[in-house]
Amino acid sequence: MARRLRRRYAAERRFRRLGAAAVALSAAFLAFLLVTMLAQGLRGFTETRVTLPVDLAAAQLPIEPARLKGRGADLALAGSGLEDAVDSAATMAFGPDGADLLSPSAWILVRDAVKADPALLRRTTRFSLPIASRYDVAAKGNGAPDAEEVVARLKAKGVLSTGWDVGFLRDADATDPTGVGIWGATKGSLLTMLVTLVLAFPIGVLAALYLEEYAPKNRWTDIIEVSINNLAAVPSIIFGLLGLAVFLGSFGLPRSAPLVGGLTLALMTMPVIVIAARNAIKAVPPSIRDAALAIGASRVQVIFHHVLPLALPGIMTGTIIGMARALGETAPLLMIGMRAFIAAPPHGLTDPATVLPVQIFLWSDQVDRGFIERTSAAIIVLLVFLLAMNGLAIYLRNRFETRW
């Protein structure tokens, strides 16, 4: 008996050690992922700028200050030679390769400053302009040796500075990594999730109410239940093929639009919402229904006045988790064309758009090393959204859950 007890206790200790080792290994992998993403991604939120004096008065640009007011300002500056004036100033300040030192979007900042203050055309102004991608990467410690030499020389002159890149959170996609932003993809994700929620939530909850409260228990309802459970496990790319065939092929809806993306993700999310809603409704004690019926409430009043409010925390938790899964999906949206190059944020549900996971996929496929940091920064933004949605689900469950 003593030997059997020792063996049993030893087996229990081994099991506890294996469990602790599994938890520690999982935590180590999670810590490695977070540290790697933060190490690369935080640099993606910053940019390196160079201070450049530009004498616009000496350039003698054919620009009339009166035309810089209103909608004709961009047209007045388009062919004025402002970009050449900025390149010439960089060549004078930093040598023959000075123009290559600046980002392709640097002159746009000068243009916007001139539009805001036409008096800049009559004097010399020191502008803080972003540098090209290869030098920006070198300034952050990952560049080529020749680029690092140029950066070291500029740092010795005291003309380089590093700060937060506000444009990364405000702009849309671009061909140059120093000018890209995530607002276009973020807005596309928000519009797509809005369509998904508006369609999937009411339909999924009503379907769960019917199956739990009204549907007879027969062969047909068994088939429906099995079908819903199977749909929740179908690979997401299958829903993308369905959206491609139905919404684009049959209905002719606009390609790469948040409306089509929301419809496709609604098909994928709806089974998850139905299953979560049914479990939440089933968890409401039958005595609640019997008590409401006993005091004269109708069947509809029992459901909407008593059962649904008590089941709503569980329904909301399942819905938010399903929406978080849809937010991170890429495959179904690639099938319906939401991988296009979108240079401006969408203004409506039918405008061309992309979403954060697809934007991350597109940037990860670029050759320029500057996109590596931008990709990691976009992943951090996506993780923040996912953690916020899961945190909201946990809060709603703990705040409104009723234990019987």
Side-chain angles (χ1 to χ4, degrees):
M1 179 65 69
R3 286 195 300 270
R4 285 198 297 269
L5 285 176
R6 285 195 297 270
R7 286 197 299 268
R8 187 172 68 181
Y9 293 152
E12 183 177 354
R13 287 193 295 269
R14 287 195 300 269
F15 180 76
R16 293 171 61 181
R17 293 193 190 102
L18 288 175
V23 172
L25 183 62
S26 301
F29 277 116
L30 178 60
F32 175 77
L33 172 65
L34 293 178
V35 169
T36 304
M37 287 296 101
L38 290 175
Q40 294 184 358
L42 291 180
R43 292 199 298 264
F45 291 101
T46 62
E47 64 177 352
T48 306
R49 290 178 170 244
V50 62
T51 302
L52 175 66
V54 181
D55 188 0
L56 295 177
Q60 297 182 353
L61 301 177
I63 302 175
E64 298 179 7
R67 297 184 58 190
L68 297 181
K69 298 179 181 180
R71 298 183 178 180
D74 290 336
L75 183 61
L77 293 170
S80 63
L82 182 60
E83 184 176 0
D84 295 334
V86 174
D87 290 342
S88 299
T91 303
M92 292 178 59
F94 308 121
D97 297 331
D100 297 332
L101 178 67
L102 298 179
S103 167
S105 60
W107 79 277
I108 297 178
L109 299 179
V110 179
R111 181 199 66 185
D112 295 339
V114 171
K115 285 167 56 179
D117 185 10
L120 298 179
L121 295 172
R122 298 190 297 270
R123 63 173 185 261
T124 301
T125 307
R126 298 175 67 86
F127 293 96
S128 181
L129 304 177
I131 62 177
S133 174
R134 65 190 304 264
Y135 300 107
D136 181 62
V137 172
K140 297 173 182 177
N142 292 322
D146 57 337
E148 291 182 352
E149 292 178 3
V150 175
V151 169
R153 187 168 64 250
L154 294 175
K155 285 183 177 180
K157 293 182 178 180
V159 295
L160 281 187
S161 62
T162 301
W164 290 104
D165 185 6
V166 181
F168 181 71
L169 301 175
R170 183 186 57 198
D171 300 331
D173 198 6
T175 57
D176 184 70
T178 60
V180 299
I182 60 170
W183 173 238
T186 303
K187 189 174 181 180
S189 294
L190 294 176
L191 292 174
T192 302
M193 291 298 102
L194 177 63
V195 175
T196 302
L197 181 63
V198 169
L199 290 176
F201 180 72
I203 296 176
V205 173
L206 290 176
L209 285 173
Y210 174 77
L211 290 175
E212 284 298 321
E213 302 293 336
Y214 289 101
K217 302 300 180 183
N218 53 32
R219 183 177 181 180
W220 293 110
T221 55
D222 291 340
I223 294 175
I224 292 174
E225 291 178 3
V226 172
S227 301
I228 292 174
N229 292 329
N230 289 334
L231 284 174
V234 169
S236 59
I237 195 170
I238 303 301
F239 293 100
L241 293 171
L242 180 62
L244 176 64
V246 176
F247 302 130
L248 297 182
S250 299
F251 294 164
L253 294 177
R255 191 179 184 87
S256 187
L259 176 62
V260 181
L263 289 170
T264 304
L265 294 180
L267 295 177
M268 185 191 72
T269 309
M270 205 177 302
V272 178
I273 296 178
V274 172
I275 294 174
R278 291 191 63 189
N279 291 332
I281 294 170
K282 194 181 299 183
V284 177
S287 58
I288 300 294
R289 300 172 177 83
D290 296 338
L293 291 172
I295 61 175
S298 66
R299 192 70 178 273
V300 174
Q301 290 174 328
V302 171
I303 293 174
F304 287 97
H305 293 177
H306 301 279
V307 176
L308 189 58
L310 293 174
L312 194 59
I315 295 174
M316 292 297 297
T317 301
T319 301
I320 294 173
I321 292 176
M323 294 294 295
R325 176 196 171 194
L327 178 64
E329 284 293 340
T330 304
L333 301 180
L334 291 176
M335 297 303 301
I336 61 172
M338 293 191 75
R339 58 165 297 163
F341 176 79
I342 307 299
H347 298 290
L349 297 178
T350 57
D351 293 337
T354 187
V355 293
L356 272 174
V358 177
Q359 189 69 81
I360 292 170
F361 168 76
L362 294 176
W363 285 350
S364 66
D365 200 36
Q366 297 293 327
V367 179
D368 196 320
R369 295 182 62 181
F371 280 103
I372 297 177
E373 297 173 350
R374 302 296 187 174
T375 302
S376 300
I379 291 174
I380 291 176
V381 174
L382 181 60
L383 287 176
V384 169
F385 274 106
L386 294 176
L387 291 175
M389 295 180 72
N390 283 278
L392 179 61
I394 294 173
Y395 169 77
L396 290 176
R397 183 188 64 194
N398 295 335
R399 175 67 176 82
F400 297 106
E401 186 178 21
T402 302
R403 299 186 181 275
W404 308 99

